[in-house]
Amino acid sequence: MAEEEGPTVELRQRKKLKSSENKESAKEEKISDTPIPEKAPKHVLFQRFAKIFIGCLAAVTSGMMYALYLSAYHERKFWFSNRQELEREITFQGDSAIYYSYYKDMLKAPSFERGVYELTHNNKTVSLKTINAVQQMSLYPELIASVLYQATGSNEIIEPVYFYIGIVFGLQGIYVTALFVTSWLMSGTWLAGMLTVAWFIINRVDTTRIEYSIPLRENWALPYFACQIAALTGYLKSNLNTYGERFCYLLMSASTYTFMMMWEYSHYLLFLQAISLFLLDSFSLEQSDKVHEVYKIYIFSLFLGYLLQFENSALLVSPLLSLVVALMLAKCLQLNVKKGTFIAKIMKVINFYLVCILTVILNIIMKMFVPHKENGHMLKFLEVKFGLNMTNGKSLKETITLEDGRIGGRPEIIYHVIHTILLGSLAMVIEGLKYLWTPYVCMLAAFGVCSPELWMTLFKWLRLRTVHPVLLALILSMAVPTIIGLSLWKEFFPRLMTELMELQEFYDPDTVELMTWIKRQAPVAAVFAGSPQLMGAIKLCTGWMVTSLPLYNDDDLLKRNENIYQIYSKRSAEDIYKILTSYKANYLIVEDAICNEVGTMRGCRVKDLLDIANGHVVCEEGDKLTYSKYGRFCHEVKINYSPYVNYFTRVYWNRSYFVYKINTVISFQS
């Protein structure tokens, strides 16, 4: 029996080896069928090097040119170099003025440590309130900028304001470069990157808010998010080597954490990104190990950010953390089921619902046990419905060639499509967030016309037979972007040059006169009250204390803003006086632009909102206001009659502003 079993076992082993031998022989035959000349490897390496060199040069040049363009446009728009310091600072409006004012405070501090302490224990900005300005306003960009300004010796070369805005413009250049690289990685050609940059600049009104307000947190943060997406795009590619994968992982880790530190709303964007990766993983479009490595980056960044942002509880109750933890728990509960079977499909559906339920439960539990003041209103706009169909549970091919015409088999492409759809849904709900979505639309559009694989997929759907589809795809992927680029150059380049040639002028003499009067006439210990936007400018330009700030992540400041705005409502002089004195205000500033605001949409003006909130509703028959026996305070106080003159004394006015001293001793006049 033993002799009979020996040949049988040997035969079975030969059968098993036969398939592998056939594969090896097939590979050898394929290699022998396509002989490679001796000089071909060097030629191929040279072509690759030239392609990468030209692409990198084009990417860096695009970023530098865009930064220089922003600088030149800013100079021509505000005539910045010919302005006095006060006039330059007035160009920073609202919350931007607050950010820049703390940058100035850091430069004035005797040491960096002392400057940070004064910001974290700040009692010189808002009356009767000590705030941690670094935590509440995410002042890490200002801390970094002040350190760089002094450490590099730039204080002997360049003025602080030019150094500050120069960093922001430089980051915008990095933003454009990252979009260039992402489009290049997706399409395989740097022409897509050039087209992305062109569309980004042409649509800059919708792609960035840099023109309106330079120091905004998103202007500092979004370039790092773009770098993170570029690294994630490379990391998701299936044909990436070990060193490239490691580099992308490290870049993704650093940029994710930096992005989270720069902007308080960053974790909401990362939440959308995590949803995109979850869908990518759920439908077997990417290796689960890679996706879960990205989840680990999220967790690490969240907890490190929590510690370094003065134990910011908003990060602990963020939907991002709840989703990632739920995904990790769901992975632990997954069973090893053979892919493609009916049970595997059922398990995927169960896993999907399990993650959704766990995310909600974990988020509720965290909010119950973690005291927080979170911007919860943002979550109301993140409910998006997905309708995705799956044809089979088989894993995708590791390498997809151009002839396959299967662009949908590339995980990095599917990720970008899902992510762009989510950002687009958010932009449709909140129109002001269009600048988050438009850059990626530009990038996807450029990829679409420059990718040979996408053209091949289209030809395969159309069942094109007349012309060789691969050759036609290669031709179109170069010809179409070239034609588009030339047409854009012809139509829009003259407009850009015209913008740079036009000398605009920012003319606001009334605000300059107001700030000058405050610095010359008001006591150093004076406290000013007025609209939050104007208070930010006063803090920056004069350094005087104010009653409120244009910040909306603090309940007390929100309540202050609402109360101070009552100067534009139909309230009595006594009510307004009590409100102002409760905040130790010495001066009141009334703005004509708000008091006499004429809006196209009734009910949306500041005074309309105040009337509705106070119950002073508008009659249906006419515009007469009811349920208030007092006139609008901002109008009545200008007339200078009793009882208004008993509480307020006008000390300065011009065409736009009226300044009233709040009387400490009330003298009632008949």
Side-chain angles (χ1 to χ4, degrees):
M1 292 293 294
E3 292 179 359
E4 291 178 0
E5 288 176 4
T8 307
V9 173
E10 186 179 358
L11 182 62
R12 288 173 182 171
Q13 290 176 347
R14 285 178 182 175
K15 286 182 178 180
K16 290 180 181 178
L17 292 172
K18 188 174 181 181
S19 59
S20 60
E21 288 175 359
N22 289 339
K23 289 181 181 178
E24 291 177 1
S25 61
K27 290 181 181 176
E28 291 176 359
E29 289 176 3
K30 189 174 182 180
I31 295 172
S32 60
D33 290 342
T34 56
I36 303 174
E38 293 181 1
K39 295 184 180 181
K42 293 182 179 180
H43 179 66
V44 171
L45 287 175
F46 177 77
Q47 282 184 336
R48 289 178 180 174
F49 174 78
K51 180 181 178 181
I52 294 174
F53 177 78
I54 295 173
C56 291
L57 183 64
V60 174
T61 303
S62 298
M64 292 178 62
M65 294 299 292
Y66 181 62
L68 292 174
Y69 165 76
L70 288 177
S71 179
Y73 180 76
H74 180 261
E75 170 63 26
R76 306 295 285 187
K77 182 178 181 180
F78 295 108
W79 208 13
F80 208 68
S81 60
N82 295 302
R83 295 287 186 181
Q84 299 295 324
E85 183 180 6
L86 178 60
E87 294 175 309
R88 291 175 183 172
E89 291 176 350
I90 288 175
T91 62
F92 297 110
Q93 302 287 323
D95 50 349
S96 296
I98 297 296
Y99 299 133
Y100 184 73
S101 72
Y102 287 123
Y103 167 70
K104 285 179 59 181
D105 292 344
M106 282 297 300
L107 296 181
K108 294 176 183 176
S111 64
F112 177 76
E113 294 78 9
R114 183 62 187 175
V116 173
Y117 179 82
E118 290 179 354
L119 290 185
T120 53
H121 303 78
N122 186 278
N123 58 0
K124 299 179 181 179
T125 300
V126 183
S127 61
L128 303 178
K129 188 175 178 65
T130 299
I131 60 175
N132 184 340
V134 178
Q135 179 185 5
Q136 283 193 260
M137 305 175 197
S138 300
L139 295 181
Y140 299 97
E142 283 68 33
L143 298 182
I144 296 171
S146 62
V147 169
L148 291 176
Y149 183 71
Q150 294 175 335
T152 57
S154 300
N155 51 346
E156 300 176 359
I157 305 172
I158 189 173
E159 296 179 54
V161 64
Y162 282 107
F163 185 83
Y164 184 87
I165 64 176
I167 293 178
V168 183
F169 290 155
L171 286 173
Q172 298 305 302
I174 294 175
Y175 190 2
V176 164
T177 300
L179 292 175
F180 183 110
V181 172
T182 305
S183 186
W184 181 13
L185 288 171
M186 292 168 62
S187 63
T189 172
W190 51 266
L191 286 175
M194 296 292 291
L195 203 55
T196 300
V197 173
W199 276 329
F200 181 92
I201 296 175
I202 290 169
N203 298 281
R204 71 181 186 281
V205 176
D206 296 325
T207 57
T208 178
R209 297 175 66 183
I210 192 73
E211 292 185 21
Y212 307 106
S213 192
I214 294 174
L216 288 177
R217 301 298 85 180
E218 51 265 41
N219 291 335
W220 287 88
L222 289 177
Y224 295 101
F225 186 53
C227 291
Q228 191 255 15
I229 287 181
L232 179 60
T233 303
Y235 184 70
L236 293 177
K237 290 178 73 71
S238 56
N239 58 349
L240 193 66
N241 57 43
T242 305
Y243 295 104
E245 187 175 302
R246 190 173 301 170
F247 172 77
C248 290
Y249 185 82
L250 292 175
L251 177 59
M252 187 166 42
S253 303
S255 54
T256 301
Y257 172 70
T258 309
F259 174 56
M260 195 170 292
M261 292 292 289
M262 291 292 176
W263 194 21
E264 60 179 326
Y265 299 117
S266 58
H267 57 91
Y268 291 114
L269 281 184
L270 293 174
F271 172 68
L272 293 183
Q273 187 181 78
I275 291 177
S276 305
L277 292 173
F278 167 52
L279 293 175
L280 199 68
D281 183 30
S282 297
F283 297 101
S284 301
L285 297 172
E286 181 52 273
Q287 300 175 11
S288 295
D289 294 338
K290 278 189 175 183
V291 175
H292 283 270
E293 286 299 319
V294 182
Y295 296 157
K296 293 177 183 177
I297 293 176
Y298 292 150
I299 293 179
F300 174 78
S301 300
L302 282 168
F303 281 107
L304 189 60
Y306 168 76
L307 295 176
L308 296 183
Q309 289 183 0
F310 305 92
E311 298 183 355
N312 184 6
S313 58
L315 295 179
L316 294 183
V317 298
S318 68
L320 174 64
L321 181 60
S322 301
L323 175 63
V324 172
V325 173
L327 289 167
M328 293 294 189
L329 291 175
K331 184 184 180 183
C332 296
L333 298 174
Q334 281 181 352
L335 300 175
N336 293 324
V337 181
K338 187 177 180 181
K339 293 182 178 180
T341 62
F342 177 75
I343 298 178
K345 296 178 183 180
I346 296 297
M347 289 302 298
K348 283 187 176 294
V349 175
I350 295 174
N351 179 70
F352 183 86
Y353 284 101
L354 178 64
V355 169
C356 295
I357 294 170
L358 281 176
T359 301
V360 175
I361 293 174
L362 288 172
N363 196 252
I364 293 173
I365 293 174
M366 292 298 290
K367 287 182 178 179
M368 288 174 59
F369 291 97
V370 178
H372 65 285
K373 293 181 180 179
E374 183 207 2
N375 300 290
H377 60 277
M378 293 295 296
L379 294 177
K380 297 178 182 177
F381 303 105
L382 297 179
E383 297 178 359
V384 181
K385 295 181 180 180
F386 300 98
L388 296 174
N389 296 321
M390 208 177 87
T391 54
N392 56 58
K394 297 180 180 179
S395 58
L396 298 169
K397 291 170 62 178
E398 293 185 0
T399 56
I400 298 173
T401 61
L402 177 62
E403 290 83 356
D404 292 332
R406 291 177 56 195
I407 196 67
R410 292 176 54 188
E412 70 273 18
I413 306 301
I414 303 302
Y415 157 73
H416 277 287
V417 172
I418 297 173
H419 196 200
T420 304
I421 291 173
L422 291 179
L423 287 175
S425 303
L426 188 64
M428 284 188 288
V429 175
I430 312 175
E431 189 177 355
L433 297 182
K434 189 163 52 175
Y435 69 96
L436 297 175
W437 173 57
T438 312
Y440 299 98
V441 173
C442 297
M443 186 181 65
L444 274 181
F447 154 75
V449 297
C450 297
S451 173
E453 294 180 6
L454 189 59
W455 286 107
M456 261 309 295
T457 303
L458 179 62
F459 295 154
K460 196 164 187 178
W461 288 347
L462 297 176
R463 298 182 180 180
L464 185 66
R465 303 290 184 186
T466 55
V467 185
H468 197 281
V470 176
L471 180 61
L472 185 59
L474 292 172
I475 293 174
L476 289 177
S477 64
M478 296 183 67
V480 173
T482 303
I483 295 171
I484 294 175
L486 291 175
S487 63
L488 292 177
W489 178 278
K490 182 179 179 181
E491 183 177 356
F492 291 100
F493 183 75
R495 297 186 188 179
L496 297 178
M497 291 297 101
T498 303
E499 288 181 352
L500 294 180
M501 294 302 294
E502 289 180 352
L503 182 60
Q504 304 179 42
E505 186 174 0
F506 181 77
Y507 187 68
D508 191 3
D510 293 341
T511 305
V512 173
E513 291 174 5
L514 173 65
M515 300 303 170
T516 305
W517 181 87
I518 293 174
K519 295 174 73 173
R520 292 177 179 176
Q521 302 295 329
V524 177
V527 178
F528 283 83
S531 70
Q533 289 72 22
L534 181 60
M535 295 301 100
I538 289 177
K539 169 63 177 70
L540 169 60
C541 299
T542 68
W544 263 246
M545 192 175 289
V546 296
T547 57
S548 60
L549 290 175
L551 298 172
Y552 310 101
N553 57 357
D554 183 90
D555 292 338
D556 181 61
L557 288 176
L558 278 174
K559 189 64 178 177
R560 284 181 178 232
N561 292 342
E562 182 181 344
N563 290 336
I564 299 298
Y565 263 129
Q566 295 298 322
I567 62 178
Y568 300 105
S569 68
K570 296 176 70 66
R571 298 282 291 273
S572 68
E574 184 180 1
D575 288 346
I576 302 300
Y577 180 82
K578 288 179 179 178
I579 291 172
L580 297 176
T581 53
S582 68
Y583 297 122
K584 300 298 182 183
N586 304 116
Y587 291 90
L588 167 65
I589 303 178
V590 175
E591 298 173 65
D592 243 12
I594 301 177
C595 189
N596 299 322
E597 182 182 4
V598 180
T600 55
M601 294 182 63
R602 300 281 301 192
C604 294
R605 300 172 300 182
V606 170
K607 51 188 179 183
D608 296 335
L609 297 174
L610 290 168
D611 291 336
I612 294 171
N614 294 333
H616 306 154
V617 295
V618 179
C619 295
E620 296 181 359
E621 299 176 357
D623 295 334
K624 185 179 179 181
L625 298 174
T626 57
Y627 304 122
S628 178
K629 61 181 179 180
Y630 304 105
R632 194 170 301 281
F633 175 83
C634 61
H635 288 309
E636 301 296 326
V637 74
K638 297 177 185 177
I639 304 177
N640 285 333
Y641 67 89
S642 181
Y644 295 93
V645 292
N646 302 330
Y647 298 99
F648 307 98
T649 302
R650 188 165 64 189
V651 293
Y652 172 80
W653 70 94
N654 59 29
R655 292 175 301 178
S656 301
Y657 304 101
F658 293 80
V659 182
Y660 296 88
K661 189 177 187 304
I662 301 171
N663 299 332
T664 54
V665 179
I666 304 174
S667 57
F668 290 95
Q669 304 174 14
S670 57

